[in-house]
Amino acid sequence: MLNSKFPKFLFWGKELICFYNDAYRPVLGNNGKHPNALGQFGIDVWPETWESHIKPITTRILAGGKATWEEDQLVPIYRNGRLEDVYWTYSFSPIIGESGQVAGVLVTCTETTDKVSNLKKLAESKDQLHFAVEATELATWDHNPVTNKLKVNDRLKEWFGLPAQKEIELPMALKVIADKDRKRVEKAIATALDFSSGGRYDIEYTIVHEYTKRERIVRVLGRAWFR
């Protein structure tokens, strides 16, 4: 454990005495449990999470339970002079002693607070984008050139005269474009899908409702992404 470059924490014996390696040290923050945690009882080192997380898991493993694995779990800890909400991916596993019985519990972990925070921000951004699209009554579409299918919102399907549940492919969408504009739109799409163009798509054309034949002049802005 001491030679490992991966953060590891050990609860040893029935008293769950605490040990950890150098890789685990940054987890404890600049002002928190280190170095006083070394050699102390687990209940004294982790009072903020003892009853809710550590005690139930270590008790089960010491009794012969299997190793655990959890991803992106919120486990607040006291560090940097305050209680922080911290997310972890971690495993608790049994350590077998010389007697053949479970003698301790090894914790391997990595902090995922930044990952979870970024995912939350991304979700919030998507919610804000969805709100902006709805508030401005925009029609949206996303074309996959590999499958030739389009993901479109209900407003665009309404403009096209298609049922909300209907799946759309590119030829079907092109069919709705006025005859006088269709070739120009096809060329603009092909240009946007050419890496050398930078992927920008900016065009104005007329669409014709499939049933009512109502015409709409639309301005379409988009961008192709390459990988």
Side-chain angles (χ1 to χ4, degrees):
M1 182 189 81
L2 295 178
N3 292 325
S4 174
K5 296 299 183 181
F6 197 83
K8 295 185 178 183
F9 193 100
L10 177 64
F11 293 103
W12 186 253
K14 294 181 179 180
E15 299 84 3
L16 297 175
I17 303 299
C18 297
F19 300 95
Y20 49 90
N21 62 2
D22 288 340
Y24 190 89
R25 165 69 185 86
V27 170
L28 300 175
N30 299 319
N31 179 19
K33 304 175 186 298
H34 179 77
N36 297 328
L38 284 169
Q40 300 301 311
F41 297 125
I43 191 173
D44 295 329
V45 175
W46 301 104
E48 66 272 37
T49 57
W50 188 256
E51 295 295 332
S52 60
H53 290 86
I54 297 176
K55 181 180 179 181
I57 299 175
T58 54
T59 299
R60 185 167 65 251
I61 291 179
L62 288 173
K66 295 181 179 179
T68 68
W69 175 263
E70 300 290 344
E71 293 187 27
D72 302 329
Q73 296 295 303
L74 174 61
V75 184
I77 69 169
Y78 183 84
R79 67 181 183 185
N80 300 321
R82 61 188 178 88
L83 186 65
E84 294 186 10
D85 283 343
V86 185
Y87 289 84
W88 308 90
T89 289
Y90 59 83
S91 173
F92 282 63
S93 55
I95 300 294
I96 307 301
E98 294 179 355
S99 65
Q101 302 299 313
V102 179
V105 178
L106 178 65
V107 183
T108 54
C109 63
T110 183
E111 184 176 343
T112 60
T113 304
D114 287 344
K115 168 192 169 184
V116 173
S117 177
N118 289 334
L119 288 175
K120 286 182 176 180
K121 290 178 181 178
L122 179 60
E124 291 173 358
S125 296
K126 287 183 176 179
D127 288 342
Q128 291 171 358
L129 176 60
H130 178 73
F131 176 79
V133 167
E134 291 302 313
T136 54
E137 298 186 349
L138 292 174
T140 64
W141 55 266
D142 183 6
H143 173 226
N144 184 333
V146 177
T147 63
N148 218 26
K149 297 184 184 298
L150 285 86
K151 292 181 180 179
V152 304
N153 66 352
D154 290 343
R155 184 166 292 108
L156 189 63
K157 288 184 178 180
E158 177 187 340
W159 291 359
F160 282 7
L162 299 172
Q165 69 274 13
K166 190 173 184 65
E167 189 176 60
I168 297 180
E169 295 186 355
L170 183 59
M172 187 183 302
L174 293 173
K175 184 180 178 182
V176 181
I177 298 171
D179 293 341
K180 62 184 178 67
D181 292 331
R182 190 174 300 123
K183 287 187 177 180
R184 187 165 54 87
V185 172
E186 290 175 346
K187 182 179 179 180
I189 292 174
T191 300
L193 292 175
D194 183 346
F195 181 78
S196 64
S197 72
R200 296 194 177 279
Y201 182 71
D202 183 353
I203 190 171
E204 186 175 289
Y205 55 86
T206 301
I207 60 174
V208 183
H209 193 281
E210 185 174 0
Y211 301 110
T212 66
K213 303 306 177 182
R214 176 186 175 185
E215 295 188 357
R216 293 176 186 267
I217 298 176
V218 296
R219 170 77 180 281
V220 186
L221 298 174
R223 182 172 183 179
W225 298 95
F226 303 91
R227 63 178 181 180

